[in-house]
PDB file of all heavy atoms in Angstrom:
ATOM      1  N   SER A 245     -40.346  53.051 -30.012  1.00 87.00           N
ATOM      2  CA  SER A 245     -39.525  53.833 -29.127  1.00 87.00           C
ATOM      3  C   SER A 245     -40.252  54.088 -27.817  1.00 87.00           C
ATOM      4  O   SER A 245     -39.638  54.193 -26.751  1.00 87.00           O
ATOM      5  CB  SER A 245     -39.198  55.183 -29.737  1.00 87.00           C
ATOM      6  OG  SER A 245     -40.311  55.987 -30.041  1.00 87.00           O
ATOM      7  N   ARG A 246     -41.556  54.108 -27.870  1.00 87.00           N
ATOM      8  CA  ARG A 246     -42.333  54.298 -26.622  1.00 87.00           C
ATOM      9  C   ARG A 246     -42.257  53.043 -25.762  1.00 87.00           C
ATOM     10  O   ARG A 246     -42.183  53.065 -24.483  1.00 87.00           O
ATOM     11  CB  ARG A 246     -43.801  54.565 -26.896  1.00 87.00           C
ATOM     12  CG  ARG A 246     -44.048  55.987 -27.451  1.00 87.00           C
ATOM     13  CD  ARG A 246     -45.537  56.289 -27.546  1.00 87.00           C
ATOM     14  NE  ARG A 246     -46.192  56.231 -26.275  1.00 87.00           N
ATOM     15  CZ  ARG A 246     -47.386  55.750 -26.064  1.00 87.00           C
ATOM     16  NH1 ARG A 246     -48.095  55.178 -27.039  1.00 87.00           N
ATOM     17  NH2 ARG A 246     -47.897  55.729 -24.871  1.00 87.00           N
ATOM     18  N   PHE A 247     -42.249  51.864 -26.409  1.00 88.00           N
ATOM     19  CA  PHE A 247     -42.077  50.616 -25.680  1.00 88.00           C
ATOM     20  C   PHE A 247     -40.637  50.560 -25.102  1.00 88.00           C
ATOM     21  O   PHE A 247     -40.456  50.125 -23.957  1.00 88.00           O
ATOM     22  CB  PHE A 247     -42.269  49.380 -26.593  1.00 88.00           C
ATOM     23  CG  PHE A 247     -42.229  48.124 -25.816  1.00 88.00           C
ATOM     24  CD1 PHE A 247     -43.299  47.666 -25.067  1.00 88.00           C
ATOM     25  CD2 PHE A 247     -41.111  47.326 -25.795  1.00 88.00           C
ATOM     26  CE1 PHE A 247     -43.284  46.476 -24.368  1.00 88.00           C
ATOM     27  CE2 PHE A 247     -41.019  46.141 -25.121  1.00 88.00           C
ATOM     28  CZ  PHE A 247     -42.112  45.748 -24.370  1.00 88.00           C
ATOM     29  N   ASP A 248     -39.626  51.065 -25.852  1.00 89.00           N
ATOM     30  CA  ASP A 248     -38.255  51.123 -25.298  1.00 89.00           C
ATOM     31  C   ASP A 248     -38.207  51.928 -24.016  1.00 89.00           C
ATOM     32  O   ASP A 248     -37.568  51.587 -23.031  1.00 89.00           O
ATOM     33  CB  ASP A 248     -37.312  51.731 -26.325  1.00 89.00           C
ATOM     34  CG  ASP A 248     -37.188  50.832 -27.533  1.00 89.00           C
ATOM     35  OD1 ASP A 248     -37.515  49.634 -27.468  1.00 89.00           O
ATOM     36  OD2 ASP A 248     -36.713  51.365 -28.598  1.00 89.00           O
ATOM     37  N   ASN A 249     -38.908  53.095 -24.067  1.00 88.00           N
ATOM     38  CA  ASN A 249     -38.935  53.953 -22.912  1.00 88.00           C
ATOM     39  C   ASN A 249     -39.590  53.282 -21.685  1.00 88.00           C
ATOM     40  O   ASN A 249     -39.150  53.482 -20.537  1.00 88.00           O
ATOM     41  CB  ASN A 249     -39.668  55.278 -23.225  1.00 88.00           C
ATOM     42  CG  ASN A 249     -38.935  56.123 -24.244  1.00 88.00           C
ATOM     43  OD1 ASN A 249     -37.784  55.889 -24.534  1.00 88.00           O
ATOM     44  ND2 ASN A 249     -39.647  57.051 -24.905  1.00 88.00           N
ATOM     45  N   LYS A 250     -40.689  52.560 -21.964  1.00 87.00           N
ATOM     46  CA  LYS A 250     -41.371  51.843 -20.865  1.00 87.00           C
ATOM     47  C   LYS A 250     -40.466  50.737 -20.321  1.00 87.00           C
ATOM     48  O   LYS A 250     -40.350  50.595 -19.079  1.00 87.00           O
ATOM     49  CB  LYS A 250     -42.668  51.258 -21.394  1.00 87.00           C
ATOM     50  CG  LYS A 250     -43.527  50.566 -20.272  1.00 87.00           C
ATOM     51  CD  LYS A 250     -43.926  51.655 -19.246  1.00 87.00           C
ATOM     52  CE  LYS A 250     -44.717  50.992 -18.097  1.00 87.00           C
ATOM     53  NZ  LYS A 250     -45.019  51.997 -17.045  1.00 87.00           N
ATOM     54  N   LEU A 251     -39.827  49.987 -21.179  1.00 89.00           N
ATOM     55  CA  LEU A 251     -38.966  48.927 -20.709  1.00 89.00           C
ATOM     56  C   LEU A 251     -37.814  49.511 -19.902  1.00 89.00           C
ATOM     57  O   LEU A 251     -37.354  48.906 -18.876  1.00 89.00           O
ATOM     58  CB  LEU A 251     -38.406  48.150 -21.878  1.00 89.00           C
ATOM     59  CG  LEU A 251     -37.472  46.975 -21.608  1.00 89.00           C
ATOM     60  CD1 LEU A 251     -38.124  45.996 -20.615  1.00 89.00           C
ATOM     61  CD2 LEU A 251     -37.043  46.275 -22.851  1.00 89.00           C
ATOM     62  N   ALA A 252     -37.280  50.667 -20.309  1.00 88.00           N
ATOM     63  CA  ALA A 252     -36.188  51.238 -19.559  1.00 88.00           C
ATOM     64  C   ALA A 252     -36.550  51.561 -18.120  1.00 88.00           C
ATOM     65  O   ALA A 252     -35.677  51.590 -17.258  1.00 88.00           O
ATOM     66  CB  ALA A 252     -35.757  52.590 -20.276  1.00 88.00           C
ATOM     67  N   GLU A 253     -37.853  51.785 -17.852  1.00 86.00           N
ATOM     68  CA  GLU A 253     -38.280  52.080 -16.463  1.00 86.00           C
ATOM     69  C   GLU A 253     -38.080  50.865 -15.549  1.00 86.00           C
ATOM     70  O   GLU A 253     -37.999  51.065 -14.382  1.00 86.00           O
ATOM     71  CB  GLU A 253     -39.754  52.518 -16.491  1.00 86.00           C
ATOM     72  CG  GLU A 253     -40.000  53.818 -17.213  1.00 86.00           C
ATOM     73  CD  GLU A 253     -41.527  54.137 -17.275  1.00 86.00           C
ATOM     74  OE1 GLU A 253     -42.308  53.459 -16.556  1.00 86.00           O
ATOM     75  OE2 GLU A 253     -41.901  55.021 -18.062  1.00 86.00           O
ATOM     76  N   PHE A 254     -38.088  49.667 -16.141  1.00 85.00           N
ATOM     77  CA  PHE A 254     -37.941  48.487 -15.324  1.00 85.00           C
ATOM     78  C   PHE A 254     -36.492  48.055 -15.149  1.00 85.00           C
ATOM     79  O   PHE A 254     -36.202  47.046 -14.456  1.00 85.00           O
ATOM     80  CB  PHE A 254     -38.696  47.310 -15.960  1.00 85.00           C
ATOM     81  CG  PHE A 254     -40.182  47.547 -15.940  1.00 85.00           C
ATOM     82  CD1 PHE A 254     -40.849  47.987 -17.068  1.00 85.00           C
ATOM     83  CD2 PHE A 254     -40.952  47.288 -14.770  1.00 85.00           C
ATOM     84  CE1 PHE A 254     -42.227  48.192 -17.090  1.00 85.00           C
ATOM     85  CE2 PHE A 254     -42.304  47.472 -14.727  1.00 85.00           C
ATOM     86  CZ  PHE A 254     -42.961  47.958 -15.924  1.00 85.00           C
ATOM     87  N   MET A 255     -35.527  48.794 -15.690  1.00 82.00           N
ATOM     88  CA  MET A 255     -34.150  48.471 -15.535  1.00 82.00           C
ATOM     89  C   MET A 255     -33.654  49.095 -14.249  1.00 82.00           C
ATOM     90  O   MET A 255     -34.266  50.007 -13.659  1.00 82.00           O
ATOM     91  CB  MET A 255     -33.320  48.989 -16.693  1.00 82.00           C
ATOM     92  CG  MET A 255     -33.703  48.318 -17.979  1.00 82.00           C
ATOM     93  SD  MET A 255     -32.880  49.019 -19.444  1.00 82.00           S
ATOM     94  CE  MET A 255     -33.585  48.003 -20.728  1.00 82.00           C
ATOM     95  N   GLU A 256     -32.558  48.631 -13.721  1.00 68.00           N
ATOM     96  CA  GLU A 256     -32.002  49.098 -12.465  1.00 68.00           C
ATOM     97  C   GLU A 256     -31.770  50.618 -12.592  1.00 68.00           C
ATOM     98  O   GLU A 256     -31.066  51.087 -13.460  1.00 68.00           O
ATOM     99  CB  GLU A 256     -30.753  48.450 -12.133  1.00 68.00           C
ATOM    100  CG  GLU A 256     -30.853  46.910 -11.878  1.00 68.00           C
ATOM    101  CD  GLU A 256     -29.503  46.258 -11.668  1.00 68.00           C
ATOM    102  OE1 GLU A 256     -28.883  46.586 -10.689  1.00 68.00           O
ATOM    103  OE2 GLU A 256     -29.144  45.372 -12.474  1.00 68.00           O
ATOM    104  N   LEU A 257     -32.403  51.378 -11.648  1.00 51.00           N
ATOM    105  CA  LEU A 257     -32.366  52.832 -11.758  1.00 51.00           C
ATOM    106  C   LEU A 257     -30.969  53.373 -11.597  1.00 51.00           C
ATOM    107  O   LEU A 257     -30.624  54.430 -12.144  1.00 51.00           O
ATOM    108  CB  LEU A 257     -33.305  53.432 -10.703  1.00 51.00           C
ATOM    109  CG  LEU A 257     -34.795  53.120 -10.867  1.00 51.00           C
ATOM    110  CD1 LEU A 257     -35.594  53.737  -9.742  1.00 51.00           C
ATOM    111  CD2 LEU A 257     -35.300  53.541 -12.220  1.00 51.00           C
ATOM    112  N   ASP A 258     -30.101  52.665 -10.794  1.00 52.00           N
ATOM    113  CA  ASP A 258     -28.763  53.206 -10.576  1.00 52.00           C
ATOM    114  C   ASP A 258     -27.696  52.502 -11.401  1.00 52.00           C
ATOM    115  O   ASP A 258     -26.480  52.696 -11.164  1.00 52.00           O
ATOM    116  CB  ASP A 258     -28.399  53.106  -9.073  1.00 52.00           C
ATOM    117  CG  ASP A 258     -28.483  51.641  -8.628  1.00 52.00           C
ATOM    118  OD1 ASP A 258     -28.998  50.779  -9.352  1.00 52.00           O
ATOM    119  OD2 ASP A 258     -27.996  51.379  -7.502  1.00 52.00           O
ATOM    120  N   LYS A 259     -28.118  51.755 -12.410  1.00 62.00           N
ATOM    121  CA  LYS A 259     -27.129  51.002 -13.177  1.00 62.00           C
ATOM    122  C   LYS A 259     -26.303  51.963 -14.044  1.00 62.00           C
ATOM    123  O   LYS A 259     -25.105  51.755 -14.196  1.00 62.00           O
ATOM    124  CB  LYS A 259     -27.840  49.978 -14.073  1.00 62.00           C
ATOM    125  CG  LYS A 259     -26.913  49.052 -14.746  1.00 62.00           C
ATOM    126  CD  LYS A 259     -27.594  47.950 -15.450  1.00 62.00           C
ATOM    127  CE  LYS A 259     -26.617  46.934 -16.136  1.00 62.00           C
ATOM    128  NZ  LYS A 259     -25.743  46.255 -15.132  1.00 62.00           N
TER     129      LYS A 259
END
Side-chain angles (χ1 to χ4, degrees):
S245 64
R246 289 188 60 220
F247 186 80
D248 294 342
N249 294 343
K250 185 61 182 176
L251 180 56
E253 295 176 13
F254 293 99
M255 297 175 181
E256 297 177 60
L257 296 179
D258 58 348
K259 188 171 182 63

